[in-house]
Every structure is written in C-alpha cells, then in structure tokens.
C-alpha cells in the first residue's frame, strides 16, 4: 500500500502536463526546401521526420517523468508492508505528543477517566519510538508546557506523562498544534508527526497543518451524562421591613436523559449547612434556593455542589459575600428627616444593631472613618464638603434632588462627566438599559426590570462619562459607579414614582449601600481566565499559598475563593463551563487524521516500510542526464526538435 507523508503537495502533479502543452503550442513547421529531384527529397524527409518524431516523443516522455518523479519525491511516498511494522526499522522521526487535559477529560468511562485513557495511550505510543527519534510532550495547559515541554531524544518520560493533571485554564488544540510544529522544526528531521490524545470535545481544531496530525480518541462516547452547578449567589429579599438572606443556585442537566434525586449541598464557611434533592429534565436548568441565617459579621464564602459521579470538576460553584449586621451610616443633609423611601431602606440596611447618624457641617476626616457608608442628599454645596468627599469616594452615595444647585451640578459634571440639564417629572419613562456585569445590577432579571417605569430624574448631556452606567432611561443615566463614588440622578422623594413602588428599588438601594460598605468587591462574577480585580497586589490563592502580583495583566488560573490581603476582602472565581455540555468535534481538516480503536496501526507511518523519495530523485536525475545526451545527439545529427 502506498502512503504519502506530504500528501498536500500532490496537486503539483498537474505540472507534468507542461512539456506536453509546450510541445502542442510551440510546435514549429518544417522548413520548406526546393530541390530538383522532388521525389527523392520527399522520401528522405519522411524518413527523417519519423526518426525525429520518435526522438521528440522520447524527449517529451523523459521531461514529463522528470517533473512527475520530482513532485512525487517531495510528497514522500512510503510503501506500507505488513511485515515492516517493527519500531526499530523506521527512519528517524520527530513526534509531538499532546495530551488534552481540559476538564471534560475527567469524565468517567467505566472505571477510568478519559484522561487516564489518554495517558495510557500516550505511553503506548511513546513505546513505538526509539533512541534515534525526537519527541516533545505537551498538554493544553500553557503554564505546564512552559515548565515541562522541550524537544528531547527518545520517547517521553513515563513519570511525566502520569503526572499530567486536569487544568481549568487551557488553550485550544489549534494553538497547541501550532506550538508543537515550532518544536518539531528544531529537530530538522524530514519525518514529523503530531499525536493528539483527546475526548474530541468541540474546540478550535486547526483547519490544516503542515505536519500530519493524528487525533486519537480517548473514550468512545458521543454524549455525557453530566450535571453542573452554576450561578450560586446571595439573594436578599425585603419582607415586612426585614431582610431575608437566601443562597440561590442553578443545576444544569447537560445530558439527554432525566436525572432524579440529585443531592445538592450548601457549604458555608467550611460547614455543610443544608441539603436537598432535586429532579432535572433532559437538557434543562433548574433554579433552587437555600435559606440561610447569618449571625457573624464580615466575609462569608463557600460553594454549592451537586452530586454527579461522572464528571466531578464542574460540580461546585463558589460564592462570597460581605455581611455587616450593625453598619454605621452617616447622613449629610439639610433636612430634619429623610424621605420615606430612603428612611425605610436605611433602617433595613442598618438592621437591629446598626447606627444612622445625621452628621454636622464641621466634619473632619477622622469623623468619617467609623462609618461604612456616607450618604449626601439635599445638602448645600460647600468647598469644605467637596474636599471631604474626595477622601471618602469608596463610602459615598450621592443622591440627587429635584432642587439641585448649580454648584452641585458643576461638581457632578467634573467627577462623572454628566451635565444635568432639566428635572424630568412630567411622565414616567421606561428603564431600558441595565449593566449585566456590575455586582450591583448583575442579580436583576433584565427582562423584568426593563418593564419598570421611573419618574423624577434629571435629564442630562454627556460626551465622556467617567464611570459605569448601571441604570439608564433613554439618554438619562440613573445610577453611575465611578472612582469618586456612587451617584443617583433620580430623586426618591416622590412616592408616586412607580419605580419607588417596585420591588426592584429596595434591592437596588440595598446593593448600592452594601457595595460601598465593602469597597466595591461584592460578589463579582469572575471566571478562570479573567484578570485579577483592580487593586489586587497581595493575594491568597484557593489552595492557601500567597503571591504578590507585579503587573496589571495577571490572570486567574483556578476556581475557588481568593483573599485580597491588602484590604481584607474576598472574591470567588468559577469555571467558564464551556466543556460541561459534550459536543463532538467535526472530523475535518487538511492533513488531519481522526483515529479510533485502530490508531496504533496508523501513527508513525514511516515505520511501515521504506520511503521512496530518494529513489525517485535518483530516477529524475538519471532521466535529466539521459535527456541531455539525447539532445546532444540530435544536435550532432543535425536533427531539429519539434
């Protein structure tokens, strides 16, 4: 059986037709010579033409074979014979062995995971190599590759193969193959192959490769019976002027079969708090809730897990939040009493042991320190107050009123980039834009909140907003988060405002207060592969080690709970869940071979026999010299090529 190691070059075989085309289109007419003895000359010319035509045909054949043999030599044909399979017989070969260690490879097949099967197959494949070969062992984890991937003589180290573990942050097979080709070029060997051991989860595979790529399946399944846990978060509900704390989560069934009696657990601060059993229909997501009672102030963290034995890696979803049952709130206002809507939410946020103080004008920075939140509402502007607020940005909540002075409007233009123009109190307007990623508004149902109407807010003009718009109605920003604090451009004084009567308002107000009281690090939705939050310099990792970050582009590499050691805050990081639902890759690509059970019969193609490229080049060279001799002979005989 004939096999081509560089089959992509075979299209050049068409060049063998060039001599024929030249012969057909460049054929010259014979020179007409008039002699007296016409009949004798005609007979002589006919004999000479037959002889010349035969030699021209021979030249055409030789030139065609030269091109054909040269192209075939570049394609590197190999004769496959069954009795030539010994690994000791193959020419020197450079091989890259890539093991897929993305988290879908943890899926359990009988008593082994797909990664176990991949490691076993990689070892068996490495045994086909000998000491004259080159090999490089790689994974889909860039960090692992930077430590252990290098070109070496002989087969990969078996202990290194066995130590490959699942990584939550991986690159695509396309990136890994491109890096593998760079390694193989260093070997300077003509025989090169790449072996990728994977479960064939749908990822970015290369469309074509210069080096033959063999994609070897680890685990013969087309679907996975997998359940993942996602979107665990604290939900705060206001019931009878009392806060109710619930931990919401989602269990996602990624399989085509219904799952019954799935055990879900809530682990909070290292202790199992509650359990429940749920049923999930095929390809469905089910939301559920754990009721929690919080007593200890400070940061709380944990995870919700679902029991699914097939794929354990995506069974947990981490969360963290800050709880202060007795916060101190400072109010800066000229009013003797706050509007009812603000007073109610302040009472709820302060709780039973909290404190709400109306602060005097003659404040100092030391007076502000004990308070978690400083709220400004309907207060006369002063430069002293302006200066004071510059040092309390992470605590400040500024609430606009309908009679906002020009000085305050100029101040807001400076710190937010928004120019407040007219107070809108004629007819309610629908909220049409909500930030889905910011911690304050990420919990809201986008569809439901966009049906809410609001009245009593400032119209504005803005060319360069200096912060994040969290809520907006038309062109009017309603809530902004900036480095100078949080700003509301609506006045909560009018109880006829439909927004103040909606359940979304107390949740928004509470989350704004909590966001400011925890320096803005409340339950951010961070995933593996994201950058560390701003301000993270000294961090404690989920496994307990501590690191210092030197740059602003540091990437989160593992799920779990992180602690910022500089400001004593925490944040949770979770998976991206791209591989929780198994989707087989489309088996296509130029110079890519998709192998199953018989993969050992296909890889290391050069061991199946002898490569013919040397013999083809020798034959092409011999034909070239034969052509030269034939042309010289025709020139001596005075024969003209046609």
């Amino acid at each position: 059986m004939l096999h081509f190691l560089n089959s992509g070059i075979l299209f050049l075989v068409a060049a063998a037709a060039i001599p024929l085309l030249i012969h057909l289109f460049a054929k010259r007419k014979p020179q007409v010579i008039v002699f007296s003895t016409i009949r004798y000359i005609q007979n002589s010319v006919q004999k000479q033409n037959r002889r010349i035509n035969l030699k021209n045909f021979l030249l055409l054949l030789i030139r065609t074979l030269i091109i054909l043999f040269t192209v075939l030599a570049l394609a590197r044909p190999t004769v496959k014979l069954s009795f030539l399979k010994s690994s000791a017989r193959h020419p020197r070969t450079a091989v890259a062995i890539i093991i897929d260690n993305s988290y879908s490879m943890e899926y359990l097949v009988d008593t082994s995971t797909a990664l176990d099967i991949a490691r076993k197959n990689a070892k068996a494949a490495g045994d086909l190599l000998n000491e004259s070969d080159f090999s490089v062992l790689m994974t889909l984890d860039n960090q692992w590759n930077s430590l252990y991937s290098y070109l070496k003589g002989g087969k990969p180290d078996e202990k290194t193969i066995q130590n490959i573990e699942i990584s939550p942050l991986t690159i695509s097979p396309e990136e890994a193959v491109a890096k593998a080709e760079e390694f193989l070029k260093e070997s300077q060997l003509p025989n090169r192959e790449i072996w990728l051991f994977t479960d064939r989860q749908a990822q970015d595979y290369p469309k074509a490769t210069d080096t033959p790529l063999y994609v070897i399946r680890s685990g013969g399944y087309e679907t996975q019976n997998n359940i993942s846990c996602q979107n665990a978060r604290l939900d705060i509900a206001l019931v009878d002027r009392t806060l109710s704390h619930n931990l919401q989560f989602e269990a996602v069934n990624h399989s085509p079969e219904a799952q019954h009696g799935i055990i879900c657990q809530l682990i909070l601060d290292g202790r199992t708090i509650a359990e429940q059993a749920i049923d999930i229909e095929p390809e469905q997501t089910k939301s559920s809730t754990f009721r929690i009672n919080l007593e200890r102030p400070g940061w709380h963290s944990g995870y919700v897990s679902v029991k699914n034995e097939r794929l354990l890696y995506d069974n947990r979803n981490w969360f963290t939040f800050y709880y202060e049952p007795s916060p101190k709130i400072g109010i800066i206002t000229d009013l003797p009493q706050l509007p009812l809507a603000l007073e109610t939410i302040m009472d709820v946020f302060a709780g039973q042991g909290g404190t709400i103080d109306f602060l005097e004008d003659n404040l100092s920075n030391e007076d502000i320190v004990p308070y978690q939140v400083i709220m400004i509402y309907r207060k006369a502007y002063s430069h002293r107050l302006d200066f004071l607020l510059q040092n309390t940005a992470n605590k400040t909540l500024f609430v606009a009123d309908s009679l906002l002075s020009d000085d305050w409007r100029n101040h807001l233009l400076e710190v937010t980039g928004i120019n407040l123009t007219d107070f809108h109190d004629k007819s309610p307007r629908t909220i049409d834009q909500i930030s889905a990623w910011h911690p304050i508004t990420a919990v809201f149902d986008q569809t439901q909140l966009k049906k809410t109407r609001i009245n009593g807010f400032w119209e504005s003009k803005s060319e360069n907003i200096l912060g994040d718009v969290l809520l907006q109605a038309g062109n009017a920003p309603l809530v902004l988060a900036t480095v100078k604090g949080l700003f509301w451009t609506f006045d909560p004084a009018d109880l006829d405002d439909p927004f103040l009567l909606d359940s979304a308002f107390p949740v928004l107000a509470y989350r704004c207060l909590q966001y400011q009281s925890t320096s803005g690090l409340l339950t951010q939705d961070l995933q593996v592969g994201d950058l560390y939050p701003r301000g993270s310099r000294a961090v404690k990792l989920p496994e307990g080690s501590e690191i210092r970050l030197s740059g602003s582009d540091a990437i989160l590499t593992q799920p779990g709970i992180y602690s910022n050691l500089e400001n004593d805050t925490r944040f949770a990081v979770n998976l991206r869940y791209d591989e929780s639902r198994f989707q087989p890759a489309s088996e296509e690509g130029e110079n890519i071979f998709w192998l199953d059970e018989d993969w050992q019969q296909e890889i290391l193609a050069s061991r199946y026999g002898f490569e013919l490229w040397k013999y083809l080049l020798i034959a092409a060279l011999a034909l070239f010299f034969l052509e030269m001799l034939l042309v010289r002979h025709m020139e001596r005989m005075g024969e003209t090529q046609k």
Side-chain angles (χ1 to χ4, degrees), residues 326-394:
S326 305
K328 296 191 69 175
I329 307 169
I331 309 295
I332 301 178
T333 181
D334 289 332
L335 297 178
Q337 186 176 1
L338 291 176
L340 181 60
L342 281 181
E343 183 181 15
T344 301
I345 196 62
M346 289 296 171
D347 290 341
V348 172
F349 182 72
Q352 295 181 353
T355 303
I356 302 176
D357 293 333
F358 285 78
L359 305 180
E360 302 295 334
D361 289 346
N362 56 345
L363 292 172
S364 65
N365 288 331
E366 291 73 17
D367 296 328
I368 299 295
V369 170
Y371 294 94
Q372 279 78 44
V373 180
I374 302 295
M375 189 178 73
I376 300 97
Y377 176 74
R378 195 167 291 188
K379 176 66 180 178
Y381 177 84
S382 68
H383 291 288
R384 176 180 176 80
L385 184 58
D386 187 350
F387 176 77
L388 187 67
L389 295 180
Q390 293 180 12
N391 299 318
T392 59
N394 61 339

Side-chain angles (χ1 to χ4, degrees), residues 111-124:
T111 58
S112 302
T113 65
L115 180 60
D116 293 333
I117 298 172
R119 288 189 294 230
K120 179 181 177 182
N121 289 343
K123 177 184 177 301

Side-chain angles (χ1 to χ4, degrees), residues 525-542:
D525 185 17
L526 295 172
Q527 295 178 317
V528 169
D530 290 342
L531 297 178
Y532 275 81
R534 284 177 292 182
S536 300
R537 290 294 178 265
V539 178
K540 184 177 181 181
L541 301 179

Side-chain angles (χ1 to χ4, degrees), residues 514-555:
Q514 191 173 25
Y515 182 84
Q516 289 302 82
S517 68
T518 58
S519 301
L521 283 177
L522 171 66
T523 58
Q524 297 188 50
D525 185 17
L526 295 172
Q527 295 178 317
V528 169
D530 290 342
L531 297 178
Y532 275 81
R534 284 177 292 182
S536 300
R537 290 294 178 265
V539 178
K540 184 177 181 181
L541 301 179
E543 81 280 1
S545 62
E546 297 181 4
I547 62 171
R548 292 198 65 86
L549 304 175
S550 56
S552 59
D553 57 349
I555 295 177

Side-chain angles (χ1 to χ4, degrees), residues 205-225:
Y205 290 87
K207 300 295 185 297
T209 59
D210 297 329
T211 306
L213 170 62
Y214 297 89
V215 184
I216 302 166
R217 185 196 295 267
S218 299
Y221 47 81
E222 295 297 331
T223 60
Q224 291 183 354
N225 292 325

Side-chain angles (χ1 to χ4, degrees), residues 164-184:
I164 293 176
E165 300 293 342
I166 294 294
S167 171
L169 181 62
T170 55
I171 59 177
S172 67
E174 184 177 25
E175 295 177 80
V177 168
K179 184 62 178 177
E181 289 189 311
E182 294 179 11
F183 276 119
L184 297 184

Side-chain angles (χ1 to χ4, degrees), residues 531-584:
L531 297 178
Y532 275 81
R534 284 177 292 182
S536 300
R537 290 294 178 265
V539 178
K540 184 177 181 181
L541 301 179
E543 81 280 1
S545 62
E546 297 181 4
I547 62 171
R548 292 198 65 86
L549 304 175
S550 56
S552 59
D553 57 349
I555 295 177
L556 298 161
T557 59
Q558 54 185 295
I561 303 298
Y562 292 70
S563 299
N564 191 328
L565 301 178
E566 291 190 342
N567 56 16
D568 194 28
T569 58
R570 300 180 190 176
F571 54 93
V573 177
N574 286 292
L575 294 173
R576 291 190 177 275
Y577 300 100
D578 296 335
E579 298 194 357
S580 293
R581 186 181 304 276
F582 183 79
Q583 296 177 330

